[in-house]
Each structure stands twice: as structure tokens, then as C-alpha cells.
Amino acid sequence: MTPPAVGFFDSGLGGTTVARAFLRLRPRAPVFYVADWEHCPYGGRPDPDIRARALEIGAELLEERGCAMLVVACNSASAVALDALRAAHPGVPVVGMEPAVKPAAAMSRTGCVGILATAHTLRGRLFRETAARHAAGVRVETAVGEGFVELAEAGDVSSPAARETAARVLAPLLAARCDPIVLGCTHYPLLLPLLRAVAPEARFLDPAEAVARRAASLWDALAAAAR
Ligand code: DGL
């Protein structure tokens, strides 16, 4: 019996940080990955456009490629399209990126956590509800990673312009002594060498691992049912 396939998608390379974390846990799982480069970056596009892209890509992965589950490896698409994807594919496990406010609040050494994400994610209901539910007792500071997706796509983690961009974006979070700073866009972990160089004293939290663990447990259930 062929193991069930998992479909991942993102506006570009960002979701590979999640797919890689999943494949470290389940190396035998067949994986399809769609990078929607034609529409990258999603940041700045109207919500209905991102929702339409997510529905189209979701249908391709599930209906044409035969994937048995979907991982929306993009915080922005999760923020605007998760409900629509689940409604369009009832019975299919659809895993989305969640802003990691709860683990960040639990590990904070300063009582202030930083969330670095796209404007879509920070505006979305998912983030607002998660922050309201899990940020009790800590302050939440947010910042939009303006220019970060472009740097990640270009693989630029060291040019003077990249350092300047990173320093500008991180400045308010560092001034507020945020600990940790959540990487709330799947592209941002690709910039970790840059972020660590600019803010060596900061702790960064990548939610990919937790999402990959959730996807792995759903995949195990599908694989067991297929046997
Ligand atoms: N990787 C994305 C996210 O997690 C997409 C960012 C973009 O394309 O603007 O939000």
C-alpha cells in the first residue's frame, strides 16, 4: 500500500521550512510542494485574492495530485483561507500555521513577547483570537517583516541592505525587550543567520516544529487507516 501523500503550499520558499520539519519526522511520507511564485509575495495582496489562490492550489493538491491531507505552510494563507479550505474539503485534514503566542508566553523571560509576521497574519482573526486567549499575563508586541519575504526568496542573509532592513524591522521589538520573538511567517526562519547577526541577544521561536508534529500525528492516523 502506498503511504498517503501530503500537500504543502506557500507563496514561495517559506513553506519548505515546515515541509522539511515534517520530513525529518516522517521521512517516508510522499510530499507535494507548491510554491506560488507567480503571486509571491502574498503580503500586500487583498484577502480574497489569497483565498482564491489557496482554494485553487488546495484543489490541485487534493484532487489532481491525490494528496490525502493538506498543510497550509503559510501564515498569511492560514489567516485568510483556512476556514474556506476546510469547508471546501470536508473530512480532509487541513493543518494551518498558528501564531505561537502560547509557547512564547510560556517561555518569556521578560513578560513581553514579539510577533513578527505579515500584515495579513497580524490583521487576521486567528491571530487576534490566539493572542486574546493565550497572552494572559504577557505583553504582545507585533512587527511586520517589511521586505523579509523578498530577502528570503533571494537568499540574502548578509548584504548591507539586508542587515539594514532587519535592524529596522527588529528595532521596536528589541527596544520593548521582547523574548522570544516569534517568526510568524514561514519565510522568516530562512533569515535566521541574518536575524541572529543583527540581534545576537534575542531568542527567536520558529513554530514549524510544532506544526510538523501535528501534521505527523494526523498523517499517522491516515497511514494506519490505509493499511
Ligand atoms: N510564507 C508566508 C507566510 O507565512 C507568505 C508571505 C508572503 O508571501 O507575503 O505568511
Side-chain angles (χ1 to χ4, degrees):
M1 197 80 187
T2 334
V6 186
F8 288 79
F9 75 90
D10 178 44
S11 62
L13 290 176
T16 60
T17 58
V18 186
R20 217 181 285 143
F22 173 76
L23 282 169
R24 270 197 297 271
L25 297 174
R26 296 294 178 270
R28 282 180 46 265
V31 158
F32 286 88
Y33 185 91
V34 172
D36 192 13
W37 275 313
E38 219 177 300
H39 302 88
C40 185
Y42 281 170
R45 290 184 183 276
D47 287 2
D49 288 10
I50 301 179
R51 203 172 295 121
R53 292 303 306 146
L55 286 168
E56 196 172 312
I57 297 167
E60 180 187 332
L61 286 165
L62 295 170
E63 287 156 21
E64 287 168 42
R65 306 286 170 185
C67 293
M69 63 180 273
L70 201 60
V71 179
V72 185
C74 171
N75 293 74
S76 310
S78 297
V80 302
L82 215 46
D83 293 345
L85 279 165
R86 287 183 176 141
H89 305 282
V92 173
V94 180
V95 181
M97 302 302 299
E98 274 205 38
V101 179
K102 192 178 180 184
M107 72 189 272
S108 183
R109 292 185 293 217
T110 60
C112 179
V113 304
I115 311 287
L116 196 53
T118 67
H120 286 286
T121 300
L122 297 176
R123 263 204 316 266
R125 187 167 51 88
L126 195 57
F127 171 68
R128 282 186 281 111
E129 286 180 0
T130 313
R133 203 167 335 122
H134 297 300
V138 297
R139 226 171 63 207
V140 178
E141 291 287 330
T142 61
V144 173
E146 210 67 69
F148 276 22
V149 170
E150 290 81 352
L151 290 175
E153 287 291 328
D156 183 353
V157 291
S158 58
S159 73
R163 291 179 72 103
E164 203 179 294
T165 302
R168 184 169 1 95
V169 167
L170 291 176
L173 300 182
L174 297 176
R177 301 185 59 244
C178 291
D179 173 71
I181 296 174
V182 175
L183 302 177
C185 164
T186 55
H187 275 80
Y188 299 172
L190 297 171
L191 297 178
L192 269 171
L194 171 69
L195 302 177
R196 288 200 179 114
V198 168
E201 70 286 4
R203 282 198 298 174
F204 294 99
L205 177 63
D206 177 4
E209 210 57 53
V211 174
R213 276 198 300 274
R214 167 98 189 110
S217 90
L218 289 167
W219 185 80
D220 289 346
L222 288 174
R227 258 182 236 127

